[in-house]
Amino acid sequence: MDYMARALSLAKLALGHVSPNPAVGAVIVKNRKIIGQGYTQPPGGAHAEIVALKEAGASAHGATLYVTLEPCCHYGRTPPCTKAIISAGIKQVHASVIDPNPLVNGRGRAELEKAGISVDIGEHEEEAYEIIQTYSKYITAKIPFVTTKFAMSLDGKIATRTGDSKWISSEESRRYVHYLRFIHDAVMVGVNTVLKDDPQLTVRLCSNGGMSHIQPLRVIVDAEGRTPTSAKVFNAPGKVLMAVSKSINPGREKALRQRGADVVCLPSKRGLVDLSALLEELGKRQITSVLAEGGGQLLGSFFDRRLVDKVIVFIAPIIIGGKQAKAPVVGLGVENITEALKLYRMRMRACNGDVMISGYVGKETCLPVSQRS
């Protein structure tokens, strides 16, 4: 049995529940049998290793631990996992990746080895890193990992010339988008998307279309505060953050605050909210990941500023046509093809007729530290 693969499947169960902590899975094996397993609990709860050790009990002595991330060795909301591993008498540890947190970053491994425990790093490294990629970006850069998502026709349109866009993508694609929202800390759109579509921007994963009890922060980028107070984003469960410019009319700002929104006034350039400043603000709020869903101006600004880490595109097998039909990414764009952003580690999957393509912007983004040049 591939015990690390089992640990990775457990880690994925923690996604959407544990931010700003990393999602980690752990499996304890003795005599080729799993005697304990677990995954990271919500902030303040036990780490994956502790859950697994508790299940294994005294049988953990002399056993092998498979864990998707190097065990922590510092005091945070909970005590160090390394001390619990040593005390339990674990004889060998397999970890997929070194923890990018500067407070750990190899120190956990060193502490275990000092105690006489054999440590092996690198099993299923790339898959494990993908699970913690948002945590890695946040813990090292102090800003969230940004994923842009859009659905378009085969000829690159997101709406007809009249603005009709429901529905370009299939039902299966739309269900997957709700999962993407669930595993991100924040969902972001520009004001034009709110004015045109009046979306809820919520997670609806239940089979009956009901709301998930966990909702991402809904971020509306709206320099002038044009979002109507009657917008659906204010009625849905969860919190709304309005990113406006410092020149917003005080009356509009007051109206948005009275509607329950958290209004953040940020610098602006050419009438657009400074996205770098917005990401810094979100980082201060422990937002580790953002799913930017549109519209074209917002996504274009993210690409123009080179602030995108990952791209997910749903391509529907339809042709819309028309000069005035809308494109998914606008902004300034590049002048030469050589300047175009290239995606790496591309993946494709079928979604009931649609094709989902995902990739990372830049070679370094998708690789664990050990594989970077």
Side-chain angles (χ1 to χ4, degrees):
M1 180 177 180
D2 189 336
Y3 299 116
M4 190 62 81
R6 174 60 183 166
L8 288 166
S9 68
L10 289 168
K12 292 174 183 176
L13 296 177
L15 289 170
H17 297 278
V18 299
S19 181
N21 293 335
V24 180
V27 173
I28 298 175
V29 178
K30 192 172 186 179
N31 298 326
R32 297 185 179 181
K33 289 183 61 177
I34 295 177
I35 59 173
Q37 57 186 339
Y39 53 87
T40 313
Q41 299 302 294
H47 288 190
E49 301 95 316
I50 305 304
V51 176
L53 286 170
K54 185 176 181 180
E55 184 176 306
S59 298
H61 188 84
T64 299
L65 168 66
Y66 293 82
V67 62
T68 58
L69 182 67
E70 175 189 16
C72 68
C73 56
H74 68 290
Y75 284 88
R77 291 187 179 94
T78 59
C81 290
T82 49
K83 293 189 181 301
I85 292 168
I86 294 168
S87 297
I90 293 289
K91 70 172 184 179
Q92 188 174 21
V93 172
H94 294 264
S96 294
V97 289
I98 292 292
D99 192 335
N101 187 341
L103 295 175
V104 186
N105 201 229
R107 293 182 179 87
R109 175 184 189 175
E111 189 170 312
L112 294 173
E113 290 179 334
K114 185 178 180 181
I117 298 173
S118 172
V119 180
D120 180 69
I121 304 289
E123 198 171 331
H124 289 289
E125 184 179 35
E126 288 188 10
E127 186 177 352
Y129 181 73
E130 187 168 333
I131 294 173
I132 66 155
Q133 63 191 3
T134 59
Y135 162 78
S136 180
K137 172 75 176 290
Y138 169 74
I139 205 68
T140 55
K142 305 303 180 187
I143 60 174
F145 185 97
V146 175
T147 298
T148 60
K149 184 279 301 180
F150 53 89
M152 68 180 190
S153 63
L154 202 58
D155 58 334
K157 310 294 185 182
I158 61 171
T160 68
R161 65 177 184 275
T162 65
D164 182 37
S165 61
K166 292 187 178 180
W167 294 100
I168 287 179
S169 57
S170 69
E171 184 177 348
E172 182 179 337
S173 296
R174 298 196 298 276
R175 280 200 302 267
Y176 188 71
V177 169
H178 283 282
Y179 171 71
L180 290 175
R181 289 178 180 176
F182 178 74
I183 64 173
H184 283 79
D185 291 346
V187 175
M188 184 184 296
V189 296
V191 61
N192 290 331
T193 295
V194 176
L195 294 174
K196 174 182 168 295
D197 298 333
D198 196 18
Q200 295 183 73
L201 301 179
T202 51
V203 173
R204 298 184 294 281
L205 290 174
C206 304
S207 58
N208 62 1
M211 299 287 184
S212 167
H213 71 284
I214 297 177
Q215 293 292 334
L217 175 68
R218 299 188 290 279
V219 181
I220 313 300
V221 183
D222 181 3
E224 299 174 6
R226 293 186 291 142
T227 299
T229 54
S230 59
K232 290 179 182 177
V233 290
F234 299 121
N235 299 326
K239 298 180 179 180
V240 177
L241 185 147
M242 298 294 305
V244 304
S245 72
K246 292 181 178 179
S247 60
I248 186 175
N249 180 285
R252 288 299 305 154
E253 180 181 348
K254 181 179 179 181
L256 292 170
R257 291 188 187 277
Q258 288 178 336
R259 197 62 179 84
D262 186 354
V263 181
V264 179
C265 298
L266 298 166
S268 61
K269 296 180 179 179
R270 296 187 298 275
L272 302 175
V273 170
D274 184 336
L275 294 178
S276 293
L278 174 55
L279 292 181
E280 289 177 7
E281 176 63 30
L282 292 175
K284 292 176 183 176
R285 295 166 180 252
Q286 293 192 315
I287 299 297
T288 68
S289 57
V290 170
L291 181 66
E293 296 198 21
Q297 181 62 60
L298 178 68
L299 298 190
S301 296
F302 266 115
F303 283 109
D304 288 343
R305 297 291 303 277
R306 299 297 195 263
L307 296 173
V308 178
D309 297 296
K310 187 176 183 179
V311 178
I312 298 177
V313 183
F314 297 90
I315 302 176
I318 59 175
I319 304 293
I320 292 177
K323 288 183 179 180
Q324 296 178 332
K326 295 187 177 181
V329 180
V330 289
L332 296 175
V334 299
E335 293 184 1
N336 303 299
I337 293 296
T338 55
E339 299 172 333
L341 291 174
K342 185 176 181 180
L343 299 187
Y344 296 86
R345 201 176 173 193
M346 299 281 292
R347 291 180 180 172
M348 291 188 293
R349 99 176 220 188
C351 288
N352 192 26
D354 297 344
V355 175
M356 185 187 80
I357 297 178
S358 64
Y360 295 87
V361 180
K363 291 181 179 179
E364 304 295 285
T365 307
C366 60
L367 295 175
V369 174
S370 68
Q371 295 185 30
R372 297 183 185 181
S373 56

